[in-house]
Amino acid sequence: KFLNSGQERIWGRFLGARKKAVFHDFVPTHVFDPGRSTDGRYILFVGHPFHLKGVDVLIKAFMRISERFPDYSLKIIGHCPDKAEKAAYQVLAQSNKRVEILSPVFYGELAAFMQDCSFLVLPSRSEAMGRVLLEAMACAKPVIGSNVGGIPEVIVDGINGLLFRSGDDADLAEKMERLLSDESLRAGMGAAGAEDVRNRFSSRKYAERFYELING
């Protein structure tokens, strides 16, 4: 079982005639309710470790557009035990009080953050799939992700979200500004993402694909 087609292309040749399949890891999308979603006017990031996930790129991008969107904040949720590393991100934020680096939350608390964000950003330098993308899409939220690994197999650029060049904070800032400037675009992409989860990434769809893998 591979998470993306790139993994299958690289490693599948070592498996010979053995059965292979490409599909997402299990994400309990059924626990997220798009009907309860609101717009809390914040951009959301959830993940760990921060450097691999591109938190520095995200902060730089937000700082580029922060003054033009004073009603919006950036919430960063995740485990960052290195105090020096965390201090470096706070320096990047230049004491901007609308950049919030929050502690990890239990999974049961995550739904509220997902349902209230304006959109989610996953600016990873490397990513096999990106389960937080599915969680946000299950809440009918648009998503922005870097064009690496399995992310482009989840985000259909311009349909359920936007892709940007990995590590390019200027390109990410442009994509963030595009969503912040157009509420109808956010709503349309969010609806498309929720539909995509139902069709491709639901809890039931995972069970079906896994059953096919072991019994087909």
Side-chain angles (χ1 to χ4, degrees):
K1 176 187 177 300
F2 299 100
L3 290 177
N4 61 66
S5 58
Q7 289 180 340
E8 182 187 33
R9 185 172 59 254
I10 294 170
W11 300 105
R13 56 197 171 97
F14 297 107
L15 299 178
R18 296 174 190 171
K19 187 186 300 183
K20 298 178 285 291
V22 180
F23 59 96
H24 63 288
D25 267 348
F26 178 71
V27 176
T29 57
H30 60 280
V31 307
F32 298 92
D33 183 4
R36 298 180 61 184
S37 292
T38 60
D39 189 346
R41 292 187 174 271
Y42 61 85
I43 301 162
L44 181 64
F45 165 88
V46 181
H48 167 79
F50 279 9
H51 179 73
L52 184 65
K53 298 292 184 178
V55 167
D56 56 320
V57 179
L58 176 56
I59 293 175
K60 289 176 183 177
F62 181 77
M63 293 303 293
R64 284 178 176 270
I65 63 173
S66 176
E67 291 186 1
R68 293 195 292 279
F69 299 94
D71 294 334
Y72 287 86
S73 61
L74 171 63
K75 294 185 186 294
I76 297 167
I77 298 176
H79 186 53
C80 187
D82 189 319
K83 293 182 179 180
E85 181 186 6
K86 188 172 183 179
Y89 297 129
Q90 292 168 335
V91 170
L92 282 178
Q94 301 174 20
S95 301
N96 188 329
K97 293 182 179 180
R98 289 187 287 119
V99 177
E100 303 176 57
I101 301 178
L102 306 175
S103 299
V105 298
F106 288 108
Y107 199 74
E109 302 172 73
L110 181 62
F113 283 99
M114 291 285 186
Q115 288 167 178
D116 290 344
C117 73
S118 300
F119 55 87
L120 178 131
V121 180
L122 183 61
S124 302
R125 291 179 163 90
S126 175
E127 191 71 57
M129 184 192 79
R131 61 181 297 127
V132 293
L133 297 174
L134 305 190
E135 292 162 348
M137 290 162 58
C139 296
K141 299 296 182 177
V143 289
I144 299 177
S146 51
N147 195 1
V148 298
I151 292 177
E153 297 181 25
V154 175
I155 298 178
V156 183
D157 191 36
I159 304 298
N160 59 15
L162 299 170
L163 294 170
F164 77 98
R165 292 183 297 275
S166 179
D168 189 338
D169 60 279
D171 189 32
L172 175 54
E174 188 275 327
K175 300 303 192 299
M176 291 164 63
E177 183 168 9
R178 182 176 168 188
L179 284 185
L180 290 173
S181 301
D182 193 334
E183 185 176 350
S184 63
L185 179 64
R186 296 200 302 272
M189 286 186 171
E195 180 67 17
D196 217 15
V197 164
R198 287 190 290 270
N199 293 335
R200 294 201 293 154
F201 302 116
S202 68
S203 304
R204 181 181 182 85
K205 181 61 67 174
Y206 173 86
E208 291 173 354
R209 294 297 303 275
F210 193 82
Y211 182 84
E212 291 171 3
L213 174 63
I214 61 176
N215 292 294

